[in-house]
Amino acid sequence: MLKPLGDRILVEIIEESEQKTAGGLYVPDTAKEKSQRGKVVAVGSGKTLDNGTKLALEVSVGDTVYFAKYGGTEVTLEGKNYSILAERDILAIVD
């Protein structure tokens, strides 16, 4: 498994189920946008401030989050899709 560095976060992308329009038509995979929701799998040690202290991350392993559409780097490991994101690319934590 990957261990993110600094303020980076490893998120397993949660694929959205089949999408259907209001008229009942199914949207094919080629027309779908990539999912912006995922589960935090690993977190880095935190951001290092100018004075040398570490600032802890606001997210933790197991959180479900929404992230920026074009943020991060996508990787595939063992058949699963992941995204490595900076903490600033996380938009919200799902309660």
Side-chain angles (χ1 to χ4, degrees):
M1 191 47 107
L2 296 176
K3 171 71 175 151
L5 303 175
D7 70 336
R8 303 281 187 220
I9 301 162
L10 181 65
V11 175
E12 181 179 350
I13 298 172
I14 298 173
E15 299 296 332
E16 302 296 330
S17 60
E18 289 186 352
Q19 295 178 344
K20 189 166 63 168
T21 64
L25 299 174
Y26 286 96
V27 178
D29 290 337
T30 55
K32 289 182 184 177
E33 291 189 14
K34 83 172 194 173
S35 177
Q36 291 177 259
R37 191 167 60 110
K39 183 176 181 181
V40 176
V41 177
V43 296
S45 59
K47 183 175 183 174
T48 304
L49 301 176
D50 291 337
N51 64 8
T53 60
K54 287 274 188 187
L55 181 62
L57 299 175
E58 291 186 50
V59 298
S60 56
V61 173
D63 287 346
T64 300
V65 297
Y66 280 94
F67 52 88
K69 185 182 288 191
Y70 298 108
T73 301
E74 292 185 18
V75 293
T76 302
L77 293 171
E78 301 172 1
K80 293 184 179 179
N81 294 325
Y82 298 92
S83 189
I84 301 172
L85 302 158
E87 185 179 32
R88 70 178 177 272
D89 293 329
I90 302 294
L91 304 176
I93 298 172
V94 178
D95 284 336

